[in-house]
Amino acid sequence: MREAGTPGAARRVNDPAGLVRLLSAGDRIYLPGAGAEVPALVDALCAASAPPLHITGAFVPGINPVPVERLPEGSIWSSPFAQPAPSGSQAGGRLRHLPMSYGAFASHLRGATFDVGFVHVSPPDANGLCSLGIAVEFTPIALQRCRRIFAVVNPRMPRIPGAETFALARADAVLELDTPLREYDVGTPSPQASRIAELIAGFVIDGSTLQVGLGKTPDALMRIVADRRGLRLHSGMLSDATRLLADGGSLDPRALHASCVHVGTAAYYDWLADRADFAVRACDYTHGPATLAGLPRLVAVNSALSVDLFGQANLEMLDGRMISGVGGAADFAQAASLAHDGVSIIALPATSGRNAVSRITARLDGVCSLPRHAIDVVITEHGVADLRGLAVTERAERLVAIAAPEHRGALQDAWKDIAARF
């Protein structure tokens, strides 16, 4: 393993295929995800001439597609996220979904070993330090466990003063590549998302620390709370709506607003460059228990695929298929629910699909991603179920009340059968 700061004899290559040619069959490699993904490198890893590899990385569903069907025969992809991959990908061993939160995955990486770790950075400054820019996530942790490090130096990666850095002298191979960064555009919030966001906003007061995920509801929420003051941001991911809060004076000017990644549009990345009020840190800090325990008035807002009448949430399975992972939701939800001034919120539409299937269910139709003791409040467009301090039956009554009206009768009947056994 490479010790931090150990200089390497860097080999310069001309394209992603040149980096892949330096790999050997069976190598264990770490590949950064989110905005640090290099799509051209992923394509090179899937080329006919590429060797089979054991790849580990946190590719995020909806942002970083995992090309399971294109990987060379014998390759294995390990990630804390499942992906909408061909049926049998997990059973066949090609896709290894590690059911871990971001905090747990960070701990897992500290005990792993890799033959090669990839890093995607800005050009170096006068001291030879490159910025990890918009996406730090697990990279600094993984690089400490790598025998060799391959660096992709991209002039489009913004230099953010509060982002972690990488000394280019540590690299064993360097590719200079001018390529667009992964983008995420949430689009216009729907009326449903805006209604849910309005209800969430009632829990966000001046001086709150806000954690949100990605999507139309978090984006709408950030717009609605733009009239608050002294807000702090501490999240796994931040996106374009962050700019609205900053430019509108909603953010606490004394705070350093932290995340492990930023995922948004190219215009947002340009805006982030050289800003000193944002920290982009590794997940062992952003999702670490000690860090989260020190956040004042933490409002953790996460989404789910379904919530049952016990108040448990499924964030990972849909129609019997694993399509995602718990991500950082488990770390933030637990921290917010334990904080005396915090609140853990799950927000979701009341129904899904063309048949308007209820997402408030009698029992979970997937795994329990978040236990009931880590969820304080559940919100749909039909209302707020504040579950704090309630008994089991009282919680069920409140959850039925925020289901879609056409599903409430069936849920009440199902709960009567469940509760009769208590």
Side-chain angles (χ1 to χ4, degrees):
M1 289 181 295
R2 174 70 62 81
E3 295 296 329
T6 301
R11 178 171 178 174
R12 299 278 172 165
V13 300
N14 296 321
D15 54 26
L19 291 178
V20 175
R21 283 193 290 271
L22 301 178
L23 301 173
S24 300
D27 274 354
R28 297 160 297 176
I29 72 169
Y30 170 78
L31 207 58
E37 180 198 354
V38 183
L41 174 60
V42 176
D43 289 341
L45 291 170
C46 295
S49 58
L53 303 165
H54 292 191
I55 303 170
T56 297
F59 272 36
V60 182
I63 299 174
N64 312 115
V66 175
V68 176
E69 67 280 5
R70 293 196 293 129
L71 290 172
E73 186 66 30
S75 291
I76 298 172
W77 191 292
S78 299
S79 173
F81 288 106
Q83 294 273 347
S87 296
S89 296
Q90 288 196 55
R94 301 195 73 187
L95 183 62
R96 298 180 65 243
H97 174 215
L98 308 177
M100 301 175 181
S101 72
Y102 265 34
F105 189 58
S107 296
H108 167 71
L109 290 178
R110 283 196 289 269
T113 56
F114 299 101
D115 296 295
V116 176
F118 287 84
V119 60
H120 186 183
V121 293
S122 74
D125 62 14
N127 297 313
L129 296 178
C130 304
S131 175
L132 272 68
I134 61 169
V136 174
E137 40 132 79
F138 304 99
T139 299
I141 306 166
L143 294 189
Q144 294 301 315
R145 310 297 299 172
C146 297
R147 289 195 306 108
R148 294 186 294 164
I149 299 173
F150 294 175
V152 177
V153 179
N154 185 357
R156 304 200 197 194
M157 181 66 76
R159 178 173 290 278
I160 302 173
E164 298 201 29
T165 59
F166 170 77
L168 195 58
R170 293 178 61 196
D172 296 274
V174 175
L175 166 65
E176 295 183 9
L177 185 67
D178 187 338
T179 186
L181 302 175
R182 274 287 186 197
E183 295 186 55
Y184 177 87
D185 189 350
V186 69
T188 304
S190 65
Q192 182 187 59
S194 296
R195 173 56 182 160
I196 295 172
E198 288 174 0
L199 296 173
I200 299 170
F203 293 89
V204 182
I205 62 174
D206 291 353
S208 294
T209 301
L210 191 57
Q211 176 260 324
V212 295
L214 296 179
K216 292 186 182 296
T217 297
D219 184 78
L221 173 64
M222 300 279 258
R223 298 173 186 275
I224 292 170
V225 300
D227 63 342
R228 311 300 199 267
R229 290 297 177 263
L231 297 180
R232 299 179 179 217
L233 300 178
H234 189 105
S235 196
M237 298 182 179
L238 293 174
S239 194
D240 285 63
T242 300
R243 183 174 180 176
L244 296 175
L245 296 183
D247 291 347
S250 302
L251 299 183
D252 185 345
R254 302 163 299 176
L256 196 58
H257 307 285
S259 66
C260 65
V261 300
H262 290 265
V263 183
T265 61
Y268 176 59
Y269 298 153
D270 290 342
W271 176 81
L272 282 169
D274 299 322
R275 291 193 66 95
D277 49 347
F278 288 92
V280 193
R281 301 283 300 275
C283 290
D284 54 353
Y285 170 79
T286 56
H287 295 69
T291 302
L292 298 179
L295 299 177
R297 299 177 184 173
L298 175 59
V299 181
V301 182
N302 291 288
S303 62
L305 296 170
S306 59
V307 174
D308 73 7
L309 296 181
F310 288 98
Q312 306 171 119
N314 160 33
L315 282 64
E316 305 168 70
M317 291 189 71
L318 182 65
D319 297 331
R321 297 186 65 194
M322 298 293 301
I323 64 168
S324 190
V326 71
D331 304 311
F332 281 97
Q334 185 71 12
S337 66
L338 290 176
H340 72 92
D341 57 355
V343 59
S344 170
I345 298 172
I346 289 293
L348 72 168
T351 60
S352 66
R354 294 181 180 178
N355 297 323
V357 175
S358 181
R359 293 175 67 171
I360 303 295
T361 63
R363 294 184 182 275
L364 286 185
D365 53 356
V367 298
C368 176
S369 307
L370 294 181
R372 55 184 175 171
H373 60 260
I375 299 172
D376 297 321
V377 175
V378 179
I379 296 176
T380 73
E381 68 270 29
H382 296 291
V384 175
D386 192 331
L387 309 178
R388 292 174 290 187
L390 298 186
V392 173
T393 298
E394 296 165 339
R395 291 163 63 94
E397 291 171 353
R398 291 207 179 174
L399 288 163
V400 169
I402 65 167
E406 64 270 25
H407 291 291
R408 291 174 190 169
L411 288 170
Q412 287 171 338
D413 291 342
W415 181 252
K416 287 178 184 178
D417 290 340
I418 294 170
R421 301 183 181 94
F422 293 172

